[in-house]
């Protein structure tokens, strides 16, 4: 049985619309679903322990992702997914979590890993966050404002790259 979705395995499959990864799969390699512009949803089971960088890059129609309890997710796994409304992580996942907006965090919500590209309007980062990962808000064109809590001590490279609608950022705390 299949144990991994290899690099570029479904790359450029524009007619692919839904993906349900079988329980035998343990890893999804880099660029596995790259540029699958018709893909709208992906269900990733508990068996998957790794979702590599850029695994779903440029899946512009992707709106929903459901991730099982064991997956380790690289920070740019869902880059350039312009319509992604949420990354929903199983609450039993020991490494990652998501908030009510589908934003991806580490388990204890001290690190903001990835904001889904389809987010729009204002977003207030939870006070528990101390770091914002590389490319965390990258390509969130509908994001108009962000509030950063005073506990944030690091903001990764390109954290707000290509946020065309972002017009304001409020940094809480003392200057």
């Amino acid at each position: 049985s299949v144990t991994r979705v290899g690099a570029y395995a479904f790359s450029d499959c524009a007619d692919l619309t839904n993906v349900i990864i079988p329980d035998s799969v343990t890893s999804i390699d880099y660029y596995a679903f790259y540029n699958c512009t018709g893909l709208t949803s992906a269900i990733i089971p508990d068996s998957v322990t790794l979702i590599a960088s850029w695994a779903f890059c440029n899946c512009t129609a992707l709106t929903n992702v459901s991730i099982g309890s064991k997956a380790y997710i690289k920070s740019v796994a869902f880059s350039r997914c312009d319509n992604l409304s949420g990354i929903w992580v199983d609450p039993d996942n020991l490494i990652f979590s998501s908030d009510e907006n589908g934003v991806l965090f580490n388990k204890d919500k001290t690190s903001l890993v990835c904001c889904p590209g389809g987010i729009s309007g204002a977003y207030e980062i939870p006070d528990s966050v101390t770091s914002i990962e590389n490319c965390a808000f990258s390509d969130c064109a509908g994001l108009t404002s962000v509030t950063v809590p005073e506990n944030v001590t690091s903001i990764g490279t390109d954290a707000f790259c290509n946020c065309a609608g972002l017009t304001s950022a409020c940094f809480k705390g003392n200057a």
Side-chain angles (χ1 to χ4, degrees):
S1 63
V2 175
T3 60
R4 68 190 285 184
V5 179
Y8 298 96
F10 293 95
S11 178
D12 295 312
C13 290
D15 294 333
L16 183 65
T17 58
N18 296 297
V19 170
I20 300 173
I21 305 292
D23 289 337
S24 61
V25 172
T26 59
S27 67
I28 301 171
D29 289 350
Y30 63 96
Y31 294 108
F33 294 96
Y34 173 73
N35 207 33
C36 290
T37 54
L39 185 63
T40 60
S41 69
I43 299 173
I44 301 167
D46 290 340
S47 61
V48 173
T49 58
L50 175 65
I51 302 171
S53 297
W54 305 289
F56 290 88
C57 180
N58 208 39
C59 292
T60 54
L62 188 62
T63 58
N64 246 329
V65 175
S66 174
I67 299 171
S69 63
K70 297 177 184 162
Y72 181 84
I73 308 154
K74 294 289 191 163
S75 64
V76 292
F78 299 99
S79 67
R80 296 189 216 140
C81 294
D82 303 342
N83 292 300
L84 187 58
S85 62
I87 302 168
W88 307 105
V89 179
D90 186 305
D92 292 333
N93 190 300
L94 299 176
I95 305 166
F96 294 98
S97 62
S98 48
D99 70 4
E100 64 278 357
N101 298 298
V103 176
L104 182 65
F105 298 88
N106 66 341
K107 184 64 177 181
D108 62 1
K109 289 190 172 79
T110 57
S111 180
L112 192 151
V113 177
C114 181
C115 184
I119 196 166
S120 62
Y123 182 72
E124 185 167 343
I125 298 171
D127 289 337
S128 60
V129 172
T130 59
S131 67
I132 300 170
E133 297 296 319
N134 295 341
C135 303
F137 288 91
S138 182
D139 299 307
C140 290
L143 183 67
T144 57
S145 68
V146 65
T147 302
V148 180
E150 65 183 317
N151 295 331
V152 171
T153 58
S154 71
I155 298 176
T157 304
D158 294 328
F160 295 94
C161 181
N162 296 325
C163 292
L166 187 61
T167 58
S168 69
C170 174
F171 291 84
K172 290 182 179 178
N174 300 325

